[in-house]
Amino acid sequence: MEKVNIVTQAQPWVDRFPLTGRYTYGVAGERFFRELKENGRFFGTRCTACDVVYVPPRLYCLRCFAPLEEWVEVPSTGTVHTFTVVHQDLDEAPLPTPEVIAFVQIDGCDGGLVHRLGEVAPEDVYIGMSVEAVLKPTAERQGGLTDIAYFRPTLR
Amino acid sequence: MGMRRVAIVGAGMTKFVRRALETGPELAWEAASRALASCDLRLSDIDGVVLGTAPDAFDAVHMKGEYLSDGAGAWRKPYIRTYVGGGTGVFSVIQGWYHVASGVFDTCLVVCEEKMSSHIPHPQGAFITIFDHILERPLGPNLLWIFAMEMNAYMNRYGLRKEDIAYVAVKNKRNAADHPAAMLGVRDITIKDVLDSPVLAWPVQRMDVSPIADGAVAVVLAADHVARRVTDKPVWIEGVGWNVDTTYWTNRDLSYPTYLEEAARMAYRMAGIKEPRKEIHVVEPYDPFDYKELHHLEGLLLADRGKAPEDAATGRFDRDNENHPDWLPSSPSGGLLGVGNPIAAAGLMKVAEIFWQLRGEAGDRQIPGNPKRGLAQAWGDLMQIGTVVILGV
């Protein structure tokens, strides 16, 4: 195999590739985010055959493919399954303050949510930490993931 | 199963570079024509073409399969584009294999291309759209989140040290120094260099990650009777496997790739392999991050769970360490960390490396001891798919 000479200073032509999406929440997602927005509650769907509660809720069970019709309220508390401390933005510039992102396993459920952690220093976060959701005030909630402001260590 | 034996009879690749003057189709043509030349075949000898390339957004070209088709040699031929994210490079060979094994084609050209330099300022901007648009994108995700969280879960589960994981980056960048197509071969890199590199998203640091790149790779597949006419050194596809987990990575055990174990078991079964640690002589596991090579060696059942970092530290996976009692050279090419990571092309590069190693044509990278059987693996979609190909001579 011989080397190929590649010119690195190729003259570029610049153009854009603009796309904007308008997405629906889906049948299960609509109900989940409506409950979150209007009542500040988390709901999941339960598969009785597989004995699994899905949060965020699913319309069907990915294990047995049954439609899921049993809606159960679940706590807005959970455990840090894993986390990262982000130091750079998408353009690789340093963030003014490192940001903690965690995958929070919702208590008693299969799955959970990825979200920011707040009211905690990055060096104090650990896997297994108990956390709870902090919701925005009702008037500010729009029916989306950011209706949850962040998760914080559970106050005991 | 009534399938025909299929061999790889030729391979070729472009250099992997940060920004190529060549367009995507030009890169694809260069790799494909080299692969054909390597086995003295012409395009007219090819019955069908498989093209592997990752999301359209990476080249910033819509319908990339169609865009690349001429460069892949598909003009007026049966043609299909295949895509399973990062798993594409190895999966493209699986798709080519079943084209030929089924008897539909006697020869199949498999080409993978990626041109990631088109993005301003960084292809992460396109990559983040792989996150769920309802559940994750509202947070403004950074691509590294997902890998950083998986790496953290893996380290935490087994109490792993970063220096043992960083060893993989060192090994692969050193190996790549002997690869003529490599972008990031560094002979004198140390673990300290990796540990001192900037933190991107803890625990991921700059040198834990493979660089984005432009490049293309191609291989030529042939049915048994054709392969024996074309070459006296056919490299047989002995086993293939692939398996996908749920899209929702928040419904997965992040510390162990169960889907990869399933894919590996499928491939081992097909190849009649009972003891993979003895019967696989060289391995190219997918290494977009240093921890991923270790994670994948465990998923492939080539190391005990949580023990691959320890094995690496003993030199078990080094290229020239044949006196190690459990020697298993891993990523002798230099992998994605060293050669570069033009997504689909990088996966196919791993298959090409096993091809060259088994034919004794890997040059300064050649592992000693006449390896008879090797395995290439890739991983992708939303870190949910494992793709495995086992080659033998």
Side-chain angles (χ1 to χ4, degrees):
Chain A
M1 188 174 52
E2 66 181 286
K3 283 199 184 188
V4 190
N5 286 320
I6 299 291
V7 177
T8 52
Q9 283 155 355
Q11 178 74 31
W13 175 260
V14 178
D15 194 5
R16 285 169 52 75
F17 198 105
L19 290 170
T20 304
R22 188 170 55 199
Y23 306 106
T24 63
Y25 291 107
V27 177
E30 179 77 21
R31 184 158 169 184
F32 178 77
F33 285 109
R34 195 176 292 277
E35 282 289 348
L36 177 61
K37 178 186 175 188
E38 292 173 3
N39 304 315
R41 298 190 297 182
F42 285 11
F43 272 79
T45 51
R46 181 162 186 271
C47 177
T48 42
C50 299
D51 193 23
V52 167
V53 175
Y54 290 97
V55 175
R58 312 271 185 244
L59 184 63
Y60 55 90
C61 177
L62 60 89
R63 293 167 171 78
C64 71
F65 235 41
L68 300 181
E69 283 149 0
E70 185 184 341
W71 284 73
V72 292
E73 184 175 357
V74 299
S76 59
T77 56
T79 305
V80 174
H81 182 90
T82 183
F83 69 97
T84 178
V85 184
V86 185
H87 290 255
Q88 294 190 349
D89 70 11
L90 291 179
D91 301 340
E92 306 186 329
L95 293 175
T97 316
E99 189 177 47
V100 185
I101 304 293
F103 158 22
V104 177
Q105 184 99 38
I106 299 296
D107 289 336
C109 302
D110 184 78
L113 296 168
V114 177
H115 221 295
R116 294 193 171 76
L117 294 192
E119 300 182 38
V120 62
E123 57 272 24
D124 294 335
V125 179
Y126 58 92
I127 291 175
M129 179 180 236
S130 295
V131 292
E132 62 187 7
V134 178
L135 303 187
K136 288 180 178 169
T138 314
E140 292 175 26
R141 296 206 288 261
Q142 297 175 318
L145 188 69
T146 50
D147 287 356
I148 303 167
Y150 50 83
F151 282 81
R152 68 179 173 200
T154 307
L155 304 174
R156 292 186 188 280
Chain B
M1 279 191 279
M3 292 184 294
R4 303 196 296 180
R5 286 186 88 198
V6 182
I8 300 182
V9 295
M13 70 185 288
T14 69
K15 203 166 189 302
F16 286 1
V17 295
R18 176 66 187 85
R19 171 169 289 130
L21 169 62
E22 288 86 344
T23 62
E26 288 170 345
L27 289 168
W29 165 80
E30 191 174 304
S33 56
R34 278 166 188 254
L36 289 169
S38 77
C39 53
D40 291 323
L41 289 181
R42 290 183 301 181
L43 190 55
S44 55
D45 297 318
I46 296 297
D47 294 340
V49 176
V50 170
L51 183 275
T53 193
D56 287 355
F58 279 0
D59 285 35
V61 173
H62 200 190
M63 297 181 72
K64 207 164 42 153
E66 288 65 24
Y67 170 68
L68 293 168
S69 61
D70 286 2
W75 181 70
R76 292 192 181 166
K77 289 189 193 297
Y79 171 69
I80 189 166
R81 172 197 181 171
T82 187
Y83 167 52
V84 285
T88 301
V90 171
F91 189 77
S92 64
V93 174
I94 297 176
Q95 187 156 42
W97 167 81
Y98 57 67
H99 278 356
V100 178
S102 63
V104 173
F105 302 139
D106 281 342
T107 55
C108 183
L109 178 60
V110 176
V111 185
C112 285
E113 179 275 356
E114 218 72 60
K115 188 164 188 203
M116 305 173 73
S117 64
S118 309
H119 263 276
I120 306 171
H122 196 283
Q124 274 213 42
F127 222 150
I128 55 172
T129 56
I130 66 174
F131 285 92
D132 187 282
H133 50 270
I134 302 284
L135 296 171
E136 288 157 357
R137 267 163 53 196
L139 297 174
N142 175 320
L143 178 66
L144 289 170
W145 288 9
I146 202 168
F147 307 109
M149 284 197 260
E150 189 180 70
M151 182 171 174
N152 200 0
Y154 176 55
M155 288 172 65
N156 183 266
R157 166 71 65 90
Y158 301 111
L160 304 176
R161 305 185 309 163
K162 273 219 67 177
E163 44 267 53
D164 290 342
I165 292 175
Y167 184 85
V168 172
V170 171
K171 168 178 74 68
N172 292 5
K173 289 176 197 293
R174 284 181 182 169
N175 285 352
D178 294 315
H179 200 308
M183 182 174 160
L184 258 194
V186 193
R187 212 175 292 284
D188 57 359
I189 187 177
T190 64
I191 289 175
K192 186 169 183 303
D193 293 333
V194 180
L195 297 179
D196 288 348
S197 64
V199 177
L200 306 180
W202 181 260
V204 173
Q205 291 171 258
R206 160 75 63 224
M207 295 184 85
D208 294 314
V209 195
S210 58
I212 60 159
D214 295 352
V217 182
V219 299
V220 181
L221 307 187
D224 196 331
H225 66 290
V226 178
R228 290 179 195 282
R229 285 208 307 267
V230 171
T231 177
D232 55 4
K233 291 195 288 186
V235 174
W236 302 103
I237 298 177
E238 298 186 341
V240 301
W242 68 104
N243 195 282
V244 71
D245 206 331
T246 169
T247 305
Y248 296 95
W249 55 289
T250 50
N251 286 83
R252 260 184 262 147
D253 174 4
L254 295 178
S255 61
Y256 185 74
T258 305
Y259 50 93
L260 177 57
E261 180 181 328
E262 296 290 333
R265 286 186 185 280
M266 175 179 168
Y268 291 143
R269 221 165 21 244
M270 192 181 297
I273 290 175
K274 303 254 182 325
E275 294 183 86
R277 293 182 201 190
K278 290 186 183 146
E279 296 176 69
I280 298 292
H281 305 147
V282 52
V283 61
E284 281 278 345
Y286 202 60
D287 63 322
F289 293 75
D290 44 12
Y291 82 95
K292 284 311 299 185
E293 174 158 331
L294 302 166
H295 214 215
H296 290 150
L297 286 164
E298 294 172 18
L300 291 165
L301 309 173
L302 296 173
D304 292 342
R305 291 190 190 196
K307 296 292 184 202
E310 220 171 278
D311 288 0
T314 68
R316 182 184 170 210
F317 305 125
D318 290 2
R319 195 166 64 193
D320 301 318
N321 201 7
E322 54 186 316
N323 295 323
H324 191 289
D326 301 309
W327 184 51
L328 179 62
S330 181
S331 293
S333 66
L336 282 52
L337 287 161
V339 187
N341 188 9
I343 311 289
L348 190 54
M349 180 275 289
K350 291 197 158 270
V351 178
E353 180 70 10
I354 299 293
F355 171 78
W356 286 317
Q357 290 286 351
L358 298 186
R359 283 170 52 121
E361 294 174 354
D364 292 340
R365 308 185 309 285
Q366 184 63 48
I367 63 166
N370 298 315
K372 297 285 178 242
R373 199 186 257 138
L375 182 153
Q377 174 256 330
W379 164 82
D381 281 348
L382 206 62
M383 25 185 259
Q384 72 191 107
I385 193 166
T387 53
V388 177
V389 166
I390 296 170
L391 303 179
V393 290

